[in-house]
Amino acid sequence: MGQLEIEKISDTTFVLQMGPHHPATHGVLKLWCEFEGERVINIKPDVGYLHRGVEKLSESKTYPGAMTLTDRLDYISSMTNNIGYCLTVERLMGIEPPRRAKFIRTIVSEMTRLSSHLLWLATHALDIGAMTVFLYAFREREQILQFFEKICGARLTVSYPRIGGVRVDIEKNVLDEIDKFMDEMLRRVDEYETLLTENRIWLSRTKGVGQITAEEAVSLGLTGPALRGSGVYYDIRKLMPYDAYPEVEFEVPLGENGDTYDRYLCRIREMRQSALIVKQCIEKMPEGEVLSEKSPDIDIPHQGKRKIEAGDSLWSGFIAFSQEKHDLMPKGEIYSAIEAPKGELGFYIVSDGSGRPYRMRVRAPSFIHISAIPKLCEGHLLADVIAIIGTLDIVMGEADR
Amino acid sequence: MIELLIMLIKTTVVFAIVLTHVAYTTYAERKLIGRAQARMGPMEVGPHGLLQPIADFIKIFFKEDIVPINAERFIFQIAPLIVLIFTMINLTVIPFSSNFILADLNVGLLFILASASVSVYGIILAGWSSNSKYSFLGGLRSASQVLSYEIALGLSLAGVVLAAGSLNLRDIVIAQHNTALGIYAIPQIIGFVVFVIAAFAETNRAPFDLPEAETELVAGYLTEYSAFRYALFFLAEYVAMYIMAFLCALCFLGGWTIPKFITDILPFLDKVPGIIWFAIKVYAFIFLYIWVRATLPRYRFDQLLNIGWKVLIPAGLVNLIIIAFLKRLSL
């Protein structure tokens, strides 16, 4: 950490260590900032305060067991983390989840996108001083979390998807409730917009702040709304479709100027699209199984072999893979990515044929977005640094892993 | 001797009433913002949380008074007192009704502007003596903010002084009552708007609450303060809000009077004591403070100064010229 420290370059500047417990650094991000008055001269992000060794830990867990670790990556959108992980393992094993499971996954991942964007909107607005939006957004997020509770029993760390499908089916009445809520959600998004989108103070605080061109954004590796705000058409749901995304219609909102305001608009429009995707999925929802026939066999001591069934606890999955066998999985390596709320969430897994990943690497969007902070903050003021942290939508659990 | 006693009683009454108002303004603020944000606000202490301010007071009174080890001890300790004293002292020149005023200064308005400037010293000293970077930035922000907006505030009030021909707040109200409209807010609409915006900035309230912007500077100049010294800053902030509300009511909304054309139509309104009209106007202004806080985001520091120097000061000057012409023509 010593190398990250900033040396003062002149007597007219001062060094401020912002974080790791600062109200606006969204967790434990630490920024070494050098200011001249309030103007940023130099800024260095310092990450690692929330490092829990998820990648290394997963090497000692079985494939189904490692999924619970992915819950804790981006802890406000654990559904998409699970889905990203399961999808990677499925592709490695060559399993195709049933159609109904795909639709359910699409529904929950779009609901996760909504809840993640709501949390982003709440904190971003609060950072810029609009405190009422915060509670409005949390009101709706609470309802989404309650739906998660109805679907799988957990609110945050859900572990709902399974390798080869999802754990339990969603009941009809819950689907109807979700459908009804999505209509309300569309109205609520309009409500947030009345407070912010045309607000003069909001405009002057976000327009032209943290501007980044499309080329720079691509070369920094930004993904998700942070990249689409600069007008780059890159959405894994469209370009490398997974789950039920090929079967639903939706737009990918793009920005023009690549500033904080455009990223704001992108996310707001994405929320509308997400609600519409959920509605379409519920409408087209097929009947059938929610867990693939080919999903891994489990071997429970004293009970003999049996399949993982819908409703099984995760524990049963552990046992199957905890055997020291080397023919459980195909050997090889795989990278696959999904469109998480924050950007491209990729999992790279090396398999040596045993029941545990030989190496797992997570390509977390937040970590890569943090590296863009110095570029985005060039020549801005202290207050803009806060707005820029907000607009990148960083979650430290994912960045530090 | 008796005069002194009466004076003491009057002072006590005024301070007690204002401080009770301050306590319940925090309650009203939490309730109103709670309502704006679709929640209840304080509900636990007493019916509908009515005893919340008292509970807060007791709690904060028994907290440990922490002085950071690297702080400039003496200045750190007296800074909140400077702010509070030079804010509270303004209460002496406020006429609450036609015959209730503690000190009938003939330069009352000037006195308020002067002591408001002095109270900024407390904030700057608090920021500097805390020996913390966030506090320091907060103090600097506050200094430049109050300095810029004081000019705008002064200019908007200069129009009033010009129209009334006096710096005495009582004379201003009486002069106002004698005009056809009965309030200065209408002929001096530019000055009124400038005054309201500058008043928000002068009291460090949203959307100009930069010196204590919690998401940027943690708590600004308050960062290192705790316990009752922290409460003193808060007390001063709310008293300053009331001073601005008083000034607004007195200089632009006719103080304890209501316009003559209204009493001509509805003569029974004349029977209502002046203090009630005054209170209604003051409460309305305080409500505006709270409403704005619940609604608007915060300005950035450079934008704040731009508004002060490039918009409000020219607007204040235009207002002054217009009033000068009006005054010249009517004479």
Side-chain angles (χ1 to χ4, degrees):
Chain A
M1 252 163 237
Q3 303 132 340
L4 278 165
E5 275 176 44
I6 289 182
E7 293 292 321
K8 257 173 58 153
I9 51 166
S10 78
D11 281 344
T12 58
T13 64
F14 72 100
V15 176
L16 184 69
Q17 301 174 33
M18 214 185 209
H21 51 236
H22 183 279
T25 53
H26 291 205
V28 286
L29 172 65
K30 179 173 181 178
L31 294 173
W32 289 85
C33 313
E34 188 172 10
F35 290 110
E36 185 166 23
E38 294 224 0
R39 199 162 287 281
V40 176
I41 303 291
N42 193 357
I43 196 161
K44 274 185 184 173
D46 183 354
V47 297
Y49 286 88
L50 203 59
H51 178 67
R52 294 150 302 170
V54 167
E55 289 173 4
K56 187 70 190 166
L57 271 175
S58 62
E59 291 170 20
S60 61
K61 298 259 179 262
T62 60
Y63 280 100
M67 196 181 73
T68 55
L69 294 174
T70 63
D71 277 332
R72 279 96 184 149
L73 287 175
D74 172 1
Y75 39 74
I76 53 171
S77 45
S78 46
M79 282 286 191
T80 48
N81 301 341
N82 293 156
I83 290 169
Y85 174 76
C86 289
L87 210 67
T88 313
V89 180
E90 280 161 15
R91 282 175 181 167
L92 181 68
M93 298 173 80
I95 306 176
E96 183 81 9
R99 225 169 141 241
R100 186 173 173 88
K102 285 184 170 185
F103 273 85
I104 291 177
R105 281 189 186 184
T106 310
I107 289 173
V108 292
S109 66
E110 287 311 311
M111 281 167 75
T112 305
R113 195 178 313 280
L114 274 173
S115 95
S116 170
H117 280 1
L118 282 171
L119 190 90
W120 157 80
L121 179 70
T123 50
H124 188 40
L126 187 69
D127 285 350
I128 297 184
M131 60 187 207
T132 298
V133 184
F134 180 82
L135 281 128
Y136 288 177
F138 261 77
R139 183 181 56 194
E140 271 73 67
R141 183 169 177 267
E142 176 61 29
Q143 276 173 288
I144 291 176
L145 294 185
Q146 276 173 3
F147 280 127
F148 284 166
E149 205 174 347
K150 280 180 186 166
I151 292 169
C152 67
R155 287 158 60 88
L156 279 174
T157 49
V158 286
S159 288
Y160 174 60
R162 294 286 287 269
I163 298 163
V166 293
R167 201 167 77 222
V168 284
D169 205 349
I170 307 183
E171 281 171 31
K172 178 85 176 65
N173 61 336
V174 178
L175 281 178
D176 291 342
E177 276 176 50
I178 294 174
D179 194 45
K180 219 175 281 169
F181 172 69
M182 287 303 149
D183 290 330
E184 196 193 325
M185 191 65 223
L186 289 170
R187 282 196 301 276
R188 297 292 190 190
V189 176
D190 295 339
E191 197 180 306
Y192 312 141
E193 282 212 280
T194 56
L195 273 170
L196 298 175
T197 305
E198 281 162 28
N199 186 324
R200 281 181 67 113
I201 303 180
W202 183 260
L203 286 171
S204 62
R205 280 302 301 278
T206 54
K207 280 227 159 175
V209 171
Q211 206 157 6
I212 189 161
T213 62
E215 291 81 39
E216 284 168 335
V218 170
S219 69
L220 277 166
L222 300 187
T223 45
L227 178 65
R228 292 196 284 272
S230 299
V232 182
Y233 185 84
Y234 181 75
D235 188 324
I236 297 171
R237 293 175 296 175
K238 283 278 188 199
L239 301 180
M240 288 166 258
Y242 55 96
D243 288 347
Y245 287 111
E247 299 182 45
V248 290
E249 280 173 25
F250 62 98
E251 283 166 33
V252 179
L254 294 179
E256 283 168 19
N257 307 317
D259 56 8
T260 304
Y261 185 69
D262 278 24
R263 288 189 282 269
Y264 157 78
L265 281 185
C266 267
R267 288 200 178 93
I268 288 281
R269 288 181 195 144
E270 256 179 39
M271 280 159 76
R272 292 212 178 86
Q273 293 300 323
S274 292
L276 293 174
I277 293 173
V278 172
K279 282 182 74 66
Q280 285 180 50
C281 282
I282 292 172
E283 199 189 302
K284 294 180 181 170
M285 188 77 143
E287 292 298 320
E289 290 292 310
V290 292
L291 198 64
S292 166
E293 282 293 309
K294 287 184 198 155
S295 72
D297 272 348
I298 55 167
D299 195 3
I300 300 175
H302 317 300
Q303 284 183 25
K305 281 202 170 193
R306 69 181 184 96
K307 288 251 175 228
I308 296 180
E309 280 165 12
D312 267 353
S313 69
L314 266 176
W315 174 242
S316 49
F318 280 100
I319 301 160
F321 284 86
S322 60
Q323 310 283 319
E324 289 298 326
K325 288 179 187 165
H326 285 275
D327 53 351
L328 279 166
M329 298 283 287
K331 286 182 182 149
E333 52 189 275
I334 186 165
Y335 174 83
S336 90
I338 60 150
E339 183 72 24
K342 310 212 161 30
E344 177 180 339
L345 176 71
F347 287 88
Y348 172 71
I349 293 178
V350 180
S351 161
D352 61 352
S354 69
R356 300 183 169 91
Y358 178 77
R359 171 82 172 96
M360 186 174 97
R361 153 92 190 148
V362 183
R363 184 221 183 266
S366 295
F367 179 66
I368 288 147
H369 289 179
I370 286 173
S371 69
I373 288 177
K375 172 74 199 158
L376 289 171
C377 290
E378 257 171 26
H380 280 311
L381 298 171
L382 172 59
D384 295 329
V385 175
I386 304 301
I388 286 165
I389 296 172
T391 189
L392 286 175
D393 196 8
I394 290 160
V395 165
M396 292 313 286
E398 186 180 54
D400 295 346
R401 297 192 287 282
Chain B
M1 189 61 204
I2 287 171
E3 265 180 27
L4 191 70
L5 201 66
I6 290 169
M7 198 67 219
L8 265 177
I9 292 167
K10 266 178 145 182
T11 314
T12 319
V13 166
V14 167
F15 277 63
I17 289 174
V18 170
L19 289 183
T20 320
H21 269 83
V22 165
Y24 276 90
T25 308
T26 64
Y27 173 78
E29 178 164 23
R30 292 168 69 176
K31 272 286 184 200
L32 287 171
I33 290 181
R35 281 296 175 191
Q37 297 175 343
R39 57 190 173 89
M40 300 298 287
M43 286 296 285
E44 287 301 314
V45 192
H48 288 267
L50 268 170
L51 301 176
Q52 188 68 45
I54 296 159
D56 286 344
F57 174 81
I58 293 169
K59 180 198 150 196
I60 212 152
F61 194 76
F62 286 104
K63 287 266 175 187
E64 187 188 351
D65 178 24
I66 300 166
V67 181
I69 196 153
N70 287 327
E72 196 72 34
R73 203 178 170 83
F74 177 67
I75 297 175
F76 184 83
Q77 284 175 335
I78 64 160
L81 293 175
I82 297 177
V83 180
L84 187 67
I85 289 168
F86 284 98
T87 312
M88 295 274 267
I89 205 168
N90 288 332
L91 291 175
T92 52
V93 295
I94 302 286
F96 294 93
S97 70
S98 54
N99 48 15
F100 193 88
I101 178 168
L102 293 181
D104 199 2
L105 284 191
N106 51 15
V107 288
L109 195 56
L110 202 61
F111 181 83
I112 289 179
L113 289 177
S115 58
S117 317
V118 179
S119 72
V120 182
Y121 275 98
I123 293 177
I124 299 170
L125 288 175
W128 174 77
S129 67
S130 299
N131 208 354
S132 149
K133 282 164 185 169
Y134 291 120
S135 301
F136 185 61
L137 277 176
L140 285 185
R141 278 185 176 187
S142 188
S144 36
Q145 177 174 328
V146 176
L147 200 72
S148 330
Y149 277 77
E150 209 146 70
I151 303 171
L153 194 77
L155 279 174
S156 66
L157 289 173
V160 172
V161 173
L162 197 63
S166 168
L167 278 165
N168 182 311
L169 286 166
R170 187 147 65 162
D171 293 349
I172 290 174
V173 174
I174 291 164
Q176 224 172 135
H177 191 54
N178 291 334
T179 61
L181 286 165
I183 52 173
Y184 279 156
I186 292 170
Q188 306 204 19
I189 184 72
I190 305 171
F192 182 58
V193 172
V194 170
F195 174 84
V196 171
I197 297 172
F200 276 74
E202 187 79 7
T203 45
N204 296 335
R205 291 282 300 186
F208 305 112
D209 53 347
L210 299 158
E212 44 192 303
E214 74 276 3
T215 49
E216 295 154 27
L217 298 180
V218 187
Y221 57 87
L222 291 166
T223 308
E224 303 294 337
Y225 279 91
S226 56
F228 211 69
R229 289 184 209 285
Y230 178 82
L232 291 183
F233 276 114
F234 256 74
L235 206 61
E237 183 184 319
Y238 281 91
V239 174
M241 272 164 68
Y242 268 100
I243 302 288
M244 285 299 155
F246 290 154
L247 268 191
C248 178
L250 291 170
C251 296
F252 289 100
L253 301 175
W256 60 86
T257 64
I258 46 168
K260 274 178 185 156
F261 65 88
I262 295 178
T263 44
D264 286 345
I265 304 164
L266 304 163
F268 64 92
L269 287 178
D270 234 0
K271 302 278 190 295
V272 179
I275 187 83
I276 290 186
W277 296 121
F278 188 63
I280 290 172
K281 288 163 188 172
V282 170
Y283 292 156
F285 198 74
I286 296 287
F287 177 76
L288 183 69
Y289 263 120
I290 296 167
W291 186 16
V292 166
R293 186 176 167 210
T295 314
L296 292 182
R298 184 182 299 120
Y299 266 114
R300 202 171 62 200
F301 187 57
D302 59 329
Q303 291 163 348
L304 170 97
L305 291 187
N306 274 344
I307 295 165
W309 289 96
K310 292 184 185 163
V311 181
L312 292 187
I313 291 178
L317 284 170
V318 167
N319 177 58
L320 195 60
I321 292 165
I322 292 171
I323 299 305
F325 269 107
L326 286 179
K327 177 99 175 166
R328 177 84 191 147
L329 290 176
S330 63
L331 274 175

